[in-house]
Amino acid sequence: MKHTINPSRRRFFAQTGAGLLAYAGLPGWLHAMEGMGEMPKMTPKKASANFHPDVEINLICKPSSVSILPGQPTQVLQYSGKLVKGPANTLTEIPGSYLGPVMRFEKGQKIRINLHNQLDEPTVTHWHGLHVPAEQDGHPLYAIDKGETLVYEFEMLNRASMNIYHPHPHNTTAKQVYHGLAGAILVNDDEERRLELPGGEYEVPIVIQDRLFDANNQLQYVRQMHDRMMGFYGDRILVNGRPDFKLDVASRAYRFRILNGSTARIYKLAWDDGHSGASIPVTVIGTDGGLLETPVNKPYVMLAPGERLDVWADFSGRKVGSQLVLRSRSFSGVLPGMAERMMTGKHGGDDQPHGGGGHRMGMGMHGSALPVGSDYPIFTVRVTKNISDSPALPNKLSTIKHYTANDTANPNKPVPIAISEGPMRMVLNGRPYAYNDIQPSERIPFNTVQLMEIFHAHGGHGGDKAQGEGGHRMGMGMRHSNDSGDGSPKMGGMGGMGGGGMGMMMAMAHPIHLHGQYFQIFSRTVSNSDSRSYASVKDGFIEGGWKDTVLVMPGERVKIIKPFQDFKGLYMYHCHNLEHEDMGMMRDFLVE
Ligand code: C2O
Ligand code: CU
Ligand code: CU
């Protein structure tokens, strides 16, 4: 039996402005994308008799309905969990939320999770951030059908950190996550415990998502090709599944475990206490892969889909009745200039006289009530209780062994992760996802540490300049795109665009995620460091800790160092803009 994507993909094209007629005329490489839909199906793994779990959880995926907005409840997909064995604090429901329970594990625990699929479609769960054997990682290969159960068994090897569990089925990851399937995983260890960081009610998970509701409070999802190309953006911010989230706190220090669970939206997080001019730094103590060595104060922090932040938020000394808002502040440059202008309904970018691109897009671009990069609140903190005594922020948090190029097996030949951008084509290393299509550069020798380089294949320096002009040509490029037959499309109608051509014009930011062990950021270089767009985000990156997702801006080259230890097999790497992932902007590494 095969899981194929063909029916839904056809349906998708039928819904777009392009329609079926246009589908027939689509270039061959898109038809080839249909071929990539073949994904073998494995027999679901059963519990093994010689694995003795410390913790066992039954995890169910099912359709459900929750009240999110006033009025009618919203149909969602939801994880629900039941603890079969293990410490009572392993699962914590978030009351009234569609999000799955927060899972809390201890480093060293042996964990068994029985995943029951009660959806009307295949699913599989991936443990984003966890270092587990390839067969336990939730690769789409292991997706199960309705009624089936998949048993995961692994040992927690991660250090203290916040991770994510979410579906990873072939071509439907974004849709399932969007409709509610996601949850947080917190791992604790001794190194963290020694710090006595705020815990219990003073440690608060903050899952940030954006959603679009129709008049009947039902979730709206991808409506046109544009929603896939740029990613899908809702116009309401939800925190832990709630709109207009408010948190009542005492006047003391808190630990906010923040996770961007949006499918595409990128945030620029900053505190605002309402007093103009008063800037309150964001104190970051950890990232994707756990605690930093020392706390870092930032004016704002960029948070892309799949990324996490551990934030020390100290309200001591604040008066009862005072409020603080965590906002997303304004920035630009993560979307192609013309898309950004369409979204804001603005004609004319910041850096360049306008391209007026929208008129010719032919992609049904439209404005949004909540444009990416605009300024809007995420949630409000209200100080409601006075407490005189608060823990102090430790100045040393953890010990991190920093890799150098000399620790890698390939200091002069980084493993490439090339971002290729073009109309209807967001891929990595020039190839859309295909199972069993491992290229030479994707074979990673077992038990090595690798230097890797993520870059835009077309140079894509997000040229605030190239984009202004590009807008005019978009429609033409789309209609005239033809196929060279070798999977590398040549765009028609692009004369005069120069070497960068469509790729440069389409340059946007991509949060690139690698499964398996965390990595370190080795270097970040950018070709347009002086552009106003880049300046609006550049102080928001945190480089010093362990990561599994890194936001790569237009024009940026990011070198990372990543170990591939302990386990052989397939580990995915992909864009965590989940619409991009489902378009095929994903590949496998084979560790062997
Ligand atoms: Cu969070 Cu492969 O994903
Ligand atoms: Cu992952
Ligand atoms: Cu992407």
Side-chain angles (χ1 to χ4, degrees):
M1 189 196 160
K2 306 234 182 213
H3 284 143
T4 95
I5 55 143
N6 293 4
S8 65
R9 193 163 285 273
R10 277 221 175 80
R11 211 174 308 127
F12 169 71
F13 282 118
Q15 283 164 2
T16 65
L20 272 177
L21 249 188
Y23 172 82
L26 280 175
W29 59 263
L30 256 185
H31 292 295
M33 261 172 79
E34 288 221 317
M36 101 190 175
E38 305 286 315
M39 178 62 79
K41 180 171 183 331
M42 309 291 281
T43 311
K45 202 181 147 287
K46 299 246 177 333
S48 47
N50 52 7
F51 184 88
H52 303 291
D54 304 305
V55 181
E56 182 166 356
I57 294 168
N58 288 340
L59 188 65
I60 300 156
C61 296
K62 57 170 194 334
S64 173
S65 103
V66 291
S67 279
I68 301 174
L69 302 175
Q72 232 171 287
T74 304
Q75 302 302 124
V76 296
L77 306 177
Q78 189 171 32
Y79 280 115
S80 73
K82 221 191 233 134
L83 188 64
V84 179
K85 182 184 179 192
N89 70 347
T90 302
L91 297 181
T92 309
E93 303 283 344
I94 304 177
S97 177
Y98 55 78
L99 290 171
V102 176
M103 298 185 182
R104 191 178 280 277
F105 298 118
E106 185 67 34
K107 183 174 181 174
Q109 271 176 340
K110 291 211 162 95
I111 297 158
R112 176 185 287 152
I113 299 174
N114 309 301
L115 178 74
H116 303 284
N117 181 5
Q118 293 178 8
L119 308 176
D120 294 321
E121 59 189 70
T123 196
V124 66
T125 297
H126 164 58
W127 321 105
H128 176 133
L130 298 190
H131 175 37
V132 297
E135 323 79 64
Q136 306 294 335
D137 191 47
H139 191 285
L141 187 56
Y142 300 96
I144 50 172
D145 290 317
K146 183 174 191 170
E148 289 184 320
T149 298
L150 173 62
V151 181
Y152 295 88
E153 290 168 332
F154 55 84
E155 184 181 334
M156 183 56 72
L157 298 177
N158 288 60
R159 69 197 293 253
S161 51
M162 182 190 212
N163 302 282
I164 317 170
Y165 61 103
H166 67 72
H168 222 299
H170 199 48
N171 291 105
T172 49
T173 295
K175 194 188 82 182
Q176 290 189 5
V177 171
Y178 181 79
H179 285 92
L181 292 171
I185 298 175
L186 295 176
V187 181
N188 296 122
D189 67 9
D190 289 337
E191 185 184 42
E192 177 198 44
R193 213 171 348 259
R194 257 180 258 127
L195 299 172
E196 296 183 5
L197 297 169
E201 63 180 299
Y202 306 121
E203 182 187 24
V204 186
I206 302 282
V207 179
I208 308 172
Q209 296 174 307
D210 60 330
R211 295 292 184 263
L212 185 66
F213 295 88
D214 70 11
N216 299 316
N217 290 351
Q218 301 312 306
L219 292 168
Q220 297 289 287
Y221 192 49
V222 168
R223 302 148 299 176
Q224 49 199 328
M225 187 42 115
H226 174 248
D227 292 336
R228 296 225 153 194
M229 290 300 302
M230 299 302 138
F232 185 77
Y233 301 95
D235 62 1
R236 279 202 92 115
I237 300 299
L238 306 183
V239 169
N240 297 343
R242 316 304 311 172
D244 309 312
F245 187 74
K246 296 198 169 48
L247 184 72
D248 291 348
V249 301
S251 58
R252 56 159 282 152
Y254 279 70
R255 187 179 181 193
F256 288 159
R257 313 296 302 267
I258 305 178
L259 136 63
N260 183 348
S262 308
T263 63
R265 185 175 288 269
I266 296 168
Y267 303 94
K268 176 179 174 175
L269 302 176
W271 288 116
D272 173 21
D273 71 353
H275 305 297
S276 50
S279 97
I280 306 153
V282 184
T283 303
V284 179
I285 60 171
T287 51
D288 306 348
L291 292 166
L292 298 170
E293 290 183 289
T294 54
V296 175
N297 283 323
K298 290 280 189 181
Y300 60 84
V301 190
M302 300 304 296
L303 193 67
E307 288 189 304
R308 288 87 75 201
L309 278 178
D310 200 341
V311 168
W312 178 273
D314 194 350
F315 307 110
S316 52
R318 288 193 179 267
K319 289 199 191 64
V320 169
S322 61
Q323 295 201 345
L324 220 72
V325 178
L326 188 73
R327 303 186 70 86
S328 187
R329 289 300 198 183
S330 58
F331 61 97
S332 61
V334 304
L335 293 179
M338 59 186 166
E340 213 160 58
R341 287 188 288 275
M342 290 311 296
M343 209 177 192
T344 54
K346 244 192 274 168
H347 288 265
D350 301 332
D351 297 14
Q352 176 73 17
H354 76 82
H359 301 295
R360 309 217 184 170
M361 280 302 289
M363 284 173 85
M365 285 216 182
H366 54 90
S368 161
L370 199 66
V372 180
S374 58
D375 188 315
Y376 51 86
I378 308 276
F379 75 99
T380 302
V381 176
R382 301 183 292 206
V383 180
T384 54
K385 209 172 19 169
N386 195 45
I387 293 193
S388 51
D389 164 59
S390 174
L393 173 62
N395 39 43
K396 165 94 180 146
L397 296 166
S398 76
T399 305
I400 290 176
K401 172 196 151 44
H402 290 277
Y403 286 123
T404 67
N406 289 333
D407 297 317
T408 66
N410 58 337
N412 303 312
K413 201 175 172 285
V415 175
I417 300 180
I419 294 167
S420 323
E421 296 147 318
M424 295 198 251
R425 181 179 169 88
M426 291 284 178
V427 299
L428 293 176
N429 289 330
R431 303 173 80 82
Y433 184 78
Y435 176 66
N436 213 357
D437 182 40
I438 311 294
Q439 299 302 298
S441 71
E442 294 172 326
R443 295 180 178 275
I444 308 286
F446 175 57
N447 267 340
T448 57
V449 176
Q450 297 283 323
L451 181 66
M452 317 184 94
E453 185 172 31
I454 313 169
F455 57 95
H456 294 256
H458 305 281
H461 42 77
D464 304 308
K465 205 167 151 200
Q467 291 169 358
E469 185 182 347
H472 292 295
R473 310 210 177 190
M474 189 63 186
M476 270 170 64
M478 303 268 313
R479 278 190 289 275
H480 290 224
S481 58
N482 53 34
D483 183 34
S484 57
D486 60 3
S488 63
K490 295 187 178 72
M491 293 306 159
M494 298 303 295
M497 283 296 291
M502 187 62 88
M504 193 183 295
M505 190 184 87
M506 294 290 295
M508 60 182 287
H510 301 271
I512 302 297
H513 168 56
L514 287 79
H515 287 207
Q517 279 163 293
Y518 299 131
F519 55 77
Q520 290 176 2
I521 294 177
F522 179 68
S523 68
R524 211 184 245 281
T525 53
V526 66
S527 60
N528 57 335
S529 55
D530 53 345
S531 82
R532 218 196 289 180
S533 294
Y534 195 72
S536 73
V537 300
K538 70 170 173 23
D539 293 330
F541 301 123
I542 296 168
E543 325 266 73
W546 291 103
K547 295 284 292 168
D548 59 45
T549 307
V550 60
L551 181 63
V552 182
M553 294 294 292
E556 270 196 325
R557 280 183 174 262
V558 180
K559 284 193 186 158
I560 62 171
I561 298 184
K562 176 174 157 75
F564 289 84
Q565 292 153 338
D566 306 314
F567 308 117
K568 295 183 178 179
L570 290 179
Y571 287 92
M572 309 194 97
Y573 64 106
H574 59 87
C575 184
H576 220 280
N577 175 318
L578 297 180
E579 283 79 34
H580 288 177
E581 173 185 332
D582 284 347
M583 283 184 81
M585 195 170 195
M586 173 161 71
R587 301 283 306 162
D588 285 314
F589 286 123
L590 177 61
V591 184
E592 58 180 3

